[in-house]
């Protein structure tokens, strides 16, 4: 047996896992109350808005996958909001921008997470809206223990809140002070916001579904949209470039938008079928990497050895170069997803992986789309040369440029076998000022658009940004259903690849695969402001071993050794065909927990 920090949980009633122990406890409470996986996931998402405000918020975004027990495949709930109607490249260029800021009003899109949660609850839940919202309202009003990381981020931003974002100061600096780690922290404005939403929704005539529909209306066409519209009409606030700018999001943008339900994309490889959200996320990059490695004898490699790490890293470099060249919103661009996920394309790309680390950006060439690959290589070279200097603005705003790794994750399987994997994010405390009357800020997902014309990821009205958020589901060789994921920005599908390969090829259980040493590369084009690249970079945890680390350096990787237990926040839950449930969660950062019986 491999070393684990915790047992892999096993049972037959239900399993929940998330990036915070309170959210996991609430999820299990909702399962015990007769709720489904969707009920539990929705309740957990609301709680994560409260207890991890540095990582997500109610005005953020969320892709989720729901797999009903009777269905042969999961479906995708898209809570990724679109760019506002006035969000044009010409306007952003007129503001003196070369890239979209990492924070501030021009970085925001329509908040999408709430509507996706409501659709999940309506379509796959049993409990009432009050049942799933009351735990979060309790923690917002009565308080929860402040995480050390949240306290540190508030301390770093305290001057910005006081001087530049004054609507944020009453929320994050109660009494004018930075809340200390471990002390009870309350957000009464958020509790009031949710209490009013619940009250208005419950005034609707009809049953459970009518209440949920009324909540959707109150959020997007009622007082929530009105609060956002009133703030955006007059606000002019500093962003990550150090310049004060007005935004373009309006109440009309919110009123016109609703979440969608879509089919996932998939790949059958390594004896398993893996499902991801579409190319409006980075999810297909995981499928591409699996395809690239499907003919390699992964099981014969040491899972902590240099051959394993090297091949996985080089496959990821190729897949992510394709992400930057070809992915985007398929409602607005033609995305060659069938070609990118084909075995033939993967075989041709596999020949590009050698024994030494690549320092080049190498997208594949797809007939008719060569110009997109060329454009990406040129952008990557430009940002590499300029590095962090693009738009960092005043030194006092530098902390607002570090927008990666701000996410949470949820996996649930209920007693009937229904499964959910969801990755809520956005609307964190450093993304934007707090909206008066709501107690929370807007998201900053628009930073993933480019201000260059003619790309699948070019900024355009009503287009979805190509997000990093990437929940996952799989059917393993024995028929086991698996839900898994992690926070981590561009690293999400990198850590998930490592987890899945070790699970499929090395016989590790869920906890062993999560606890094993992790690695990732920042060679790829970052999705976050200022969009830098680090050619040849490879971060590894020290538990990988000195020998492996030196051999990776001998292969030409620019190895950065992280602090122990610092990479990745993976969680997972599974169900065997005989009904045995399992779950696991990372010990890293000492927050995530799996609970089940």
């Amino acid at each position: 047996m491999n070393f684990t920090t915790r047992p892999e949980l096993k049972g037959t009633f239900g399993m929940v896992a998330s990036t915070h122990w309170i959210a996991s406890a609430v999820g299990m409470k909702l399962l015990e109350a007769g709720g489904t996986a969707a009920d539990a996931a929705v309740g957990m998402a609301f709680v994560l808005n409260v207890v991890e405000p540095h990582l997500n918020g109610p005005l953020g975004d969320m892709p989720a996958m729901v797999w009903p027990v009777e269905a042969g495949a999961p479906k995708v709930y898209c809570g990724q909001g679109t760019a506002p109607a006035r969000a044009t490249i010409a306007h952003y260029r007129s503001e003196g921008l070369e890239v979209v800021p990492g924070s501030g009003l021009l970085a925001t899109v329509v908040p999408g997470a709430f509507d996706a949660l409501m659709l999940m609850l309506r379509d796959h839940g049993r409990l009432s809206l009050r049942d799933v919202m009351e735990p979060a309202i309790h923690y917002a009003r009565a308080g929860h223990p402040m995480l050390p990381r949240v306290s540190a981020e508030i301390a770093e931003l305290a001057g910005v809140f006081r001087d530049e974002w004054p609507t944020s100061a009453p929320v994050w600096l109660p009494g004018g002070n930075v809340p200390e780690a471990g002390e009870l922290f309350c957000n009464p404005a958020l509790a009031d916001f949710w209490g009013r939403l619940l009250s208005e929704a419950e005034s609707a005539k009809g049953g459970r579904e009518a209440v949920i529909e009324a909540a959707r209306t109150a959020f997007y066409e009622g007082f929530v949209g009105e609060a956002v519209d009133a703030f955006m009409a007059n606000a002019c606030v500093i962003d990550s470039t150090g310049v004060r700018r007005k935004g373009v999001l309006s109440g009309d943008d919110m009123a016109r938008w609703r979440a969608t339900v879509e089919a996932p994309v998939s790949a059958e490889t390594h004896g398993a079928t893996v499902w991801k959200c579409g190319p409006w996320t980075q999810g297909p990059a995981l499928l591409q990497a699996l395809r690239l490695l499907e003919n390699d004898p992964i099981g014969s490699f040491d899972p902590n050895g240099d051959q394993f790490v090297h091949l996985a890293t080089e496959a990821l470099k190729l897949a992510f170069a394709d992400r930057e060249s070809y992915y985007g919103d398929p409602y607005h661009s033609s995305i060659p997803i069938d070609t990118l996920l084909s075995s033939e394309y993967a075989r041709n790309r596999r020949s590009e992986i050698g024994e030494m680390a690549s320092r080049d950006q190498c997208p594949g060439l797809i007939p008719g789309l060569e110009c997109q690959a060329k454009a990406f290589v040129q952008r990557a070279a430009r940002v590499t040369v300029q590095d962090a200097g693009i738009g960092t603005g005043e030194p006092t705003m530098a902390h607002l440029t570090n927008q990666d790794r701000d996410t949470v994750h949820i996996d649930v399987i209920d007693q009937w076998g229904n499964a959910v994997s969801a990755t809520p994010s956005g609307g964190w405390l450093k993304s934007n000022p707090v909206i008066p009357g709501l107690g929370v800020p807007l998201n900053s997902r628009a930073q993933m658009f480019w201000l260059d014309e003619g790309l699948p990821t070019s900024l355009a009205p009503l287009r979805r940004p190509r997000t990093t958020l990437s929940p996952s589901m799989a059917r393993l060789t024995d028929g086991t259903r698996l839900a898994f994921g992690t926070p981590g920005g561009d690293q999400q599908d990198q850590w998930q690849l490592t987890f899945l390969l070790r699970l499929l090829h090395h016989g590790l259980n869920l906890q062993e695969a999560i606890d094993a040493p992790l690695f990732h590369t920042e060679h790829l084009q970052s999705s976050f402001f200022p969009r830098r690249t680090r050619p040849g970079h490879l971060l590894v945890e020290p538990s990988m071993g000195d020998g492996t680390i030196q051999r990776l350096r001998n292969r030409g990787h620019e190895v950065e050794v992280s602090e122990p237990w610092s990479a990745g926040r993976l969680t997972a839950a599974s169900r065997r065909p005989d009904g045995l449930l399992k779950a696991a969660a990372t010990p890293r950062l000492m927050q995530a927990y799996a609970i089940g019986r």
Side-chain angles (χ1 to χ4, degrees):
M1 178 177 176
N2 292 286
F3 167 80
T4 63
T5 57
R6 307 167 177 180
E8 178 190 57
L9 302 185
K10 298 178 182 180
T12 56
F13 175 79
M15 292 287 164
V16 300
S18 82
T19 49
H20 195 288
W21 67 90
I22 291 178
S24 296
V26 166
M28 197 65 198
K29 170 188 181 297
L30 294 172
L31 292 185
E32 297 281 4
T36 66
D39 291 315
V42 172
M44 293 164 76
F46 283 123
V47 170
L48 288 170
N49 287 169
V50 178
V51 298
E52 294 196 275
H54 61 315
L55 304 177
N56 75 132
L59 303 183
D61 24 61
M62 181 198 72
M65 304 184 80
V66 179
W67 196 350
V69 65
E70 72 278 3
K75 48 188 171 181
V76 171
Y77 281 74
C78 174
Q80 178 53 68
T82 57
R86 294 187 292 141
T88 64
I89 290 175
H91 177 71
Y92 281 55
R93 290 285 188 180
S94 74
E95 291 281 348
L97 293 168
E98 295 183 11
V99 293
V100 179
S103 64
L105 302 180
L106 285 176
T108 199
V109 298
V110 174
F114 181 83
D115 204 52
L117 290 170
M118 291 301 98
L119 284 184
M120 288 168 52
L121 186 66
R122 183 196 70 186
D123 296 349
H124 300 284
R126 295 184 174 189
L127 302 181
S128 70
L129 182 61
R130 177 170 292 276
D131 289 334
V132 300
M133 290 192 73
E134 278 193 329
I137 294 173
H138 164 79
Y139 286 111
R141 194 174 301 284
H144 58 93
M146 171 66 69
L147 294 170
R149 291 183 69 210
V150 183
S151 176
E153 289 206 6
I154 292 174
E156 186 180 29
L157 289 160
V160 176
F161 294 155
R162 294 187 182 104
D163 301 334
E164 300 290 349
W165 294 358
T167 59
S168 293
V171 173
W172 309 125
L173 300 170
N177 301 313
V178 175
E180 295 184 5
E183 74 176 41
L184 284 180
F185 178 79
C186 307
N187 189 343
L190 174 57
D192 290 344
F193 158 27
W194 277 341
R196 179 179 174 183
L197 184 76
L198 190 56
S199 177
E200 290 194 11
E202 290 180 334
S203 68
K205 295 181 180 179
R208 175 181 176 276
E209 184 171 319
V211 170
I212 294 171
E213 291 299 326
R216 299 175 71 194
T217 300
F219 193 97
Y220 288 95
E221 300 176 46
F223 79 94
V224 181
E226 291 168 359
V228 171
D229 188 72
F231 179 72
M232 295 294 288
N234 299 304
C236 184
V237 304
I238 202 165
D239 60 31
S240 57
T241 71
V243 176
R244 293 177 183 85
R245 295 186 173 93
K246 292 178 67 66
V248 292
L249 180 69
S250 71
D252 287 342
D253 292 312
M254 291 183 62
R256 285 194 296 262
W257 186 87
R258 290 295 185 274
T260 55
V261 182
E262 306 176 6
V265 295
S266 65
E268 294 184 15
T269 181
H270 302 287
T273 302
V274 184
W275 287 276
K276 299 291 292 186
C277 302
W280 52 273
T281 75
Q282 71 177 11
L286 173 63
L287 305 181
Q288 284 194 247
L290 289 167
R291 279 270 190 250
L292 282 162
L293 300 174
E294 64 185 350
N295 294 317
D296 286 285
I298 301 297
S300 67
F301 301 148
D302 178 354
N304 298 329
D306 65 294
Q307 181 76 348
F308 176 85
V309 176
H310 172 75
L311 278 180
T313 300
E314 296 304 301
L316 287 164
K317 289 178 183 178
L318 296 180
F320 276 79
D322 283 346
R323 179 196 75 169
E324 287 303 308
S325 298
Y326 302 117
Y327 291 16
D329 187 348
Y331 291 165
H332 288 256
S333 300
S334 179
I335 311 297
I337 194 66
D338 290 341
T339 297
L340 292 167
L341 297 182
S342 69
S343 293
E344 180 182 5
Y345 182 79
R347 283 194 298 271
N348 293 334
R349 295 284 275 152
R350 175 62 181 84
S351 65
E352 300 176 42
I353 298 178
E355 292 301 313
M356 299 296 291
S358 171
R359 299 181 65 86
D360 298 323
Q361 301 291 348
C362 298
L365 297 179
I366 296 178
L369 299 176
E370 294 91 347
C371 59
Q372 292 179 199
K374 181 179 179 181
F376 157 59
V377 174
Q378 291 173 341
R379 289 197 311 275
R382 182 180 74 211
V383 177
T384 299
V385 171
Q386 295 181 344
D387 198 39
I390 294 182
T392 51
E394 298 174 9
T396 55
M397 299 302 295
H399 46 274
L400 290 179
T401 70
N402 181 19
Q403 293 289 333
D404 58 349
R405 305 187 187 185
D406 296 280
T407 309
V408 299
H409 187 74
I410 295 164
D411 295 306
V412 187
I413 300 181
D414 63 29
Q415 59 183 302
W416 302 281
N418 305 297
V420 172
S421 179
T423 310
S425 187
W428 46 69
L429 61 87
K430 65 181 178 180
S431 62
N432 259 303
V434 163
I435 302 295
L438 302 183
V440 287
L442 286 162
N443 61 79
S444 55
R445 192 63 59 180
Q447 67 184 290
M448 296 177 181
F449 285 117
W450 287 101
L451 299 182
D452 301 314
E453 298 281 0
L455 306 172
T457 48
S458 297
L459 176 68
L462 310 185
R463 175 178 280 179
R464 289 177 286 186
R466 195 273 304 141
T467 181
T468 55
L469 304 176
S470 194
S472 300
M473 287 186 165
R475 181 188 291 113
L476 306 184
T477 53
D478 64 354
T480 292
R481 293 185 176 198
L482 174 67
F484 62 104
T486 178
D490 293 303
Q491 285 77 51
Q492 289 180 38
D493 285 295
Q494 300 191 57
W495 295 328
Q496 290 181 51
L497 175 68
T498 306
F499 164 79
L500 197 54
L501 289 175
R502 287 169 170 162
L503 202 68
L504 294 174
H505 293 282
H506 297 105
L508 275 62
N509 69 33
L510 297 180
Q511 194 65 51
E512 290 169 341
I514 286 173
D515 284 354
L518 288 172
F519 57 92
H520 69 260
T521 178
E522 294 179 20
H523 171 93
L524 51 90
Q525 179 100 62
S526 173
S527 299
F528 298 86
F529 180 89
R531 311 303 296 270
R532 69 187 65 163
T533 68
R534 297 179 65 184
H537 170 268
L538 177 62
L539 180 142
V540 300
E541 290 187 307
S543 52
M544 196 71 72
D546 292 342
T548 293
I549 291 170
Q550 185 56 53
R551 286 189 290 274
L552 288 167
R553 287 185 169 129
N554 293 342
R555 286 178 177 268
H557 294 279
E558 297 287 340
V559 178
E560 173 188 359
V561 181
S562 72
E563 293 296 317
W565 297 100
S566 63
R569 288 208 291 160
L570 287 154
T571 67
S574 70
R575 182 181 189 269
R576 279 192 341 205
D578 64 0
L580 180 65
L581 306 178
K582 300 179 182 181
T586 184
R588 295 167 176 91
L589 301 185
M590 299 177 70
Q591 288 176 211
Y593 263 87
I595 303 175
R597 68 174 179 84

